[in-house]
């Protein structure tokens, strides 16, 4: 009986265990559902309250330090492998470039040797200047000047023996480029010379225009003679100081002519004033040759120089008539007259020779300061009188 009850009891125990398991599974399912609902409600509260939540998955955030170290090690190994691969590729490229360069050098050497043998017509192992010129003209089918060929020889003849050996010979492309460079240099030099010649021609034209403006050309023979006439003005005014000499030599035809001219000059009312203003006006007319205008100015200054001794003598005679003895006064007048004759004689002789009489002390310097010259033109060719230039220089100095 006990043996019969045992299987039945066992089956009932199995049923109880199965029910307990089912009830346990149901409880677990309920718990899981409750957990899901709680998590969903918490997520919903997070969105409504705008709280930040991590965007990285939990599995990433929960990586252990060992995983991070392992991953970094793997990345470093990958980078090392990439660097090694790039280094090997670079070494391979360098080797290929070296081989290519070597092949090119060999090809250039072969071509140069072939061209050298072609230029070396007498087969003496070197290329002379004549052989170089003939070979280049044959290869380039053009005529070359000796100057270019000589320059080419100087450029490539390193030994300086006047010939090219095989180690000095270069390929035809290099020679062509050098010849083209020489042609460009010659062309540039020719252009510079042409520009310099043009500038020089323009400068000559400008100078000629300036000379024409101030009439500073060489005087003609007629102008040389006319340039002496202005000195009649100081001569006639100076005869009053040489009156005694003229009266003592009336038997001399020159003295007689001088006395007659002086009498006619004094007979003209305001003759001296008319002569002064006439010479002053004509001396500013640039259509008259410079030599004539120069002598006009110098004649005016000589006449002014005669005015001061006469004024001084008149003042002394007015203050004390007996202060100067008559003999001494006459001697001084004759000396002054002779000095004036010497100045006029020098000026006339120099003018007849076509030279400016600019050696009179003080007087010639005053005349030079009034005469227009090339220095009165500015860089643009405009004429600026001396007084205006001095004003501009003074103004620039003050600034």
């Amino acid at each position: 009986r006990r043996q019969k009850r045992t299987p039945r009891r066992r089956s009932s125990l199995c049923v109880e265990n199965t029910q307990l398991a089912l009830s346990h599974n149901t409880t677990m399912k309920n718990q899981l559902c409750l957990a899901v609902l709680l998590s969903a409600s918490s997520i919903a509260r997070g969105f409504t309250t705008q709280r930040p939540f991590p965007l990285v998955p939990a599995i990433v955030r929960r990586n252990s330090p060992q995983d991070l170290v392992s991953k970094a090690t793997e990345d470093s190994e990958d980078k090392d492998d990439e660097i090694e691969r790039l280094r090997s590729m670079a070494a391979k490229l360098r080797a290929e470039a070296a081989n290519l360069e070597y092949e090119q050098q060999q090809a250039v050497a072969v071509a140069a040797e072939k061209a050298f043998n072609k230029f070396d017509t007498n087969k003496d192992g070197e290329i002379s200047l004549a052989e170089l010129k003939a070979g280049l003209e044959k290869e380039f089918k053009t005529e070359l000047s000796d100057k270019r060929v000589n320059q080419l020889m100087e450029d490539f003849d390193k030994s300086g023996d006047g010939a090219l050996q095989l180690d000095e010979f270069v390929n035809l492309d290099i020679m062509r480029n050098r010849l083209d460079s020489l042609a460009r240099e010659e062309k540039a030099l020719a252009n510079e010379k042409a520009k310099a010649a043009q500038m020089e021609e323009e400068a000559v034209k400008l100078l000629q225009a300036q000379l024409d403006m101030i009439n500073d050309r060489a005087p003609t023979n007629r102008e040389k003679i006319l340039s002496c006439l202005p000195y009649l003005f100081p001569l006639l005014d100076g005869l009053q100081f040489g009156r005694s000499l003229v009266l003592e030599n009336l038997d001399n035809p020159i003295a007689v002519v001088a006395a007659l001219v002086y009498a006619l000059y004094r007979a003209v009312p305001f003759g001296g004033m008319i002569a002064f203003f006439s010479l002053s006006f004509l001396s500013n007319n640039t259509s008259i040759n410079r030599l004539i205008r120069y002598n006009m100015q110098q004649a005016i200054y000589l006449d002014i120089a005669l005015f001061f001794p006469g004024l001084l003598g008149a003042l002394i005679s007015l203050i004390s008539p007996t202060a100067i003895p008559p003999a001494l006064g006459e001697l001084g007048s004759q000396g002054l007259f002779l000095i004036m004759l010497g100045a006029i004689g020098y000026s006339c002789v120099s003018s007849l020779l076509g030279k400016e009489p600019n050696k009179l002390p003080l007087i010639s310097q005053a005349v030079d300061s009034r005469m227009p010259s090339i220095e009165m033109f500015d860089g643009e060719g405009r004429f600026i009188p001396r007084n205006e230039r001095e004003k501009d220089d003074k103004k620039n100095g003050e600034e």
Side-chain angles (χ1 to χ4, degrees), residues 140-167:
F140 299 150
K141 295 180 176 57
T142 184
E143 186 176 354
L144 300 175
S145 63
D146 294 337
K147 182 180 179 181
R148 292 187 184 179
V149 179
N150 288 329
Q151 185 63 44
L152 201 66
M153 178 67 76
E154 292 178 1
D155 292 340
F156 297 111
D157 183 18
K158 299 179 181 179
S159 60
D161 57 354
L164 294 179
Q165 283 73 34
L166 180 59
D167 58 340

Side-chain angles (χ1 to χ4, degrees), residues 116-311:
F116 180 86
N117 295 329
K118 191 174 182 180
F119 276 56
D120 186 16
T121 55
N122 57 3
K123 306 302 179 183
D124 59 349
E126 62 180 16
I127 298 175
S128 63
L129 187 64
E131 289 175 336
L132 179 62
K133 180 179 180 182
L136 291 175
E137 290 179 346
K138 184 178 180 181
E139 288 292 332
F140 299 150
K141 295 180 176 57
T142 184
E143 186 176 354
L144 300 175
S145 63
D146 294 337
K147 182 180 179 181
R148 292 187 184 179
V149 179
N150 288 329
Q151 185 63 44
L152 201 66
M153 178 67 76
E154 292 178 1
D155 292 340
F156 297 111
D157 183 18
K158 299 179 181 179
S159 60
D161 57 354
L164 294 179
Q165 283 73 34
L166 180 59
D167 58 340
E168 297 173 338
F169 191 78
V170 296
N171 59 35
L172 296 180
D173 290 335
I174 296 177
M175 288 191 176
R176 186 193 301 274
N177 293 335
R178 181 54 183 157
L179 287 173
D180 292 340
S181 176
L182 291 175
R184 288 192 297 271
E185 291 176 0
E186 292 178 0
K187 186 176 180 180
L189 184 61
N191 291 334
E192 291 180 359
K193 289 183 178 180
K195 289 181 180 179
Q198 184 179 2
M199 293 177 63
E200 184 177 358
E201 184 179 358
E202 292 177 355
V204 170
K205 289 181 179 179
L206 179 60
L207 179 61
Q208 186 62 40
Q210 294 173 353
L211 293 176
D212 293 340
M213 184 176 179
I214 62 176
N215 206 346
D216 199 8
R217 55 181 173 77
T220 62
N221 292 330
R222 179 172 174 271
E223 291 171 339
K224 292 176 183 178
I225 296 172
L226 291 175
S227 66
C228 297
L229 295 179
Y231 292 105
L232 288 175
F233 175 50
L235 177 62
L236 294 175
D237 281 343
L239 280 175
Q240 59 179 332
F241 297 101
R243 183 170 45 191
S244 60
L245 293 176
V246 173
L247 294 176
E248 292 174 359
N249 298 280
L250 288 177
D251 55 343
N252 192 331
I254 297 177
V256 174
V257 172
L260 292 175
V261 173
Y262 180 75
L264 292 174
Y265 175 71
R266 288 298 180 183
V268 178
F270 305 104
M273 187 175 296
I274 293 173
F276 177 84
F277 284 107
S278 298
L279 291 177
S280 180
F281 174 76
L282 292 174
S283 63
N284 294 321
N285 187 2
T286 56
S287 62
I288 301 175
N289 186 266
R290 175 184 171 86
L291 181 61
I292 300 175
R293 290 182 286 112
Y294 188 93
N295 286 340
M296 288 179 179
Q297 290 281 350
Q298 188 149 270
I300 293 173
Y301 277 98
L302 281 174
D303 191 76
I304 294 174
L306 292 174
F307 172 76
F308 292 104
L311 179 63

Side-chain angles (χ1 to χ4, degrees), residues 320-375:
S320 177
T322 60
I324 301 177
L328 183 60
E330 186 176 350
L331 182 62
S333 298
Q334 291 178 358
L336 183 62
F337 178 72
L338 292 176
I339 292 174
M340 184 200 61
L341 282 180
I344 293 175
Y346 157 75
S347 300
C348 290
V349 172
S350 181
S351 298
L352 291 175
L353 295 176
K355 299 179 180 179
E356 285 187 355
N358 55 3
K359 297 297 187 294
L360 296 179
L362 300 178
I363 295 177
S364 296
Q365 296 176 4
V367 175
D368 288 334
S369 64
R370 288 182 57 85
M371 293 296 296
S373 60
I374 298 297
E375 290 78 10

